[in-house]
Amino acid sequence: MNKPFEDKGYFRRQYPRRAMKRKVGVLCDGSYFVCDSGEVGEGGMSIISDYVLSEGHELVVSFQVPGGDFVFLRGVVRSTQKKEGDQRVTHGLSFNEIEFAIKRQIRSFVSARANAIT
């Protein structure tokens, strides 16, 4: 069965995302730092950091799902984008294995009205 994909040009998303402005803890290659989130969905999220992470790097992110639990999720860096004149880098992450309960909390947040909790 084919699932609908969101076409982003160079890659396709399996799940919709919603903007989420929260602090996110990132553990990558033995280093831990805190950065901002951009958006989140069941399949992954974007983070905005001062550090450049290479595509394919594995990491662990920790954050509070709005209206839900504080979670720790394993993921992989899928894309790295730096806008001209901006010091920070936007990374697209995909989650590896995600518990059904956490997936449901993220899905609930993404599908809620835009003026609800962020």
Side-chain angles (χ1 to χ4, degrees), residues 14-112:
Q14 187 174 356
Y15 302 103
R17 290 190 180 186
R18 177 177 170 196
M20 179 182 79
K21 303 299 178 202
R22 294 272 167 120
K23 293 294 182 188
V24 177
V26 179
L27 177 62
C28 184
D29 289 340
S31 297
Y32 180 82
F33 61 92
V34 176
C35 63
D36 295 316
S37 62
E39 53 185 19
V40 69
E42 293 173 55
M45 71 186 308
S46 64
I47 58 171
I48 303 155
S49 87
D50 296 325
Y51 305 102
V52 178
L53 303 173
S54 302
E55 291 181 21
H57 260 81
E58 294 188 358
L59 43 72
V60 175
V61 291
S62 55
F63 62 95
Q64 176 87 37
V65 176
D69 295 334
F70 191 82
V71 298
F72 296 86
L73 297 171
R74 292 182 177 275
V76 176
V77 178
R78 294 290 179 202
S79 66
T80 299
Q81 216 174 9
K82 186 168 166 112
K83 294 186 175 111
E84 199 171 324
D86 191 354
Q87 297 297 333
R88 303 192 320 154
V89 184
T90 301
H91 297 92
L93 313 178
S94 67
F95 298 139
N96 291 352
E97 296 169 19
I98 177 169
E99 282 180 44
F100 180 74
I102 296 169
K103 201 178 246 197
R104 187 172 38 197
Q105 289 178 22
I106 293 171
R107 181 183 309 140
S108 175
F109 168 70
V110 170
S111 63

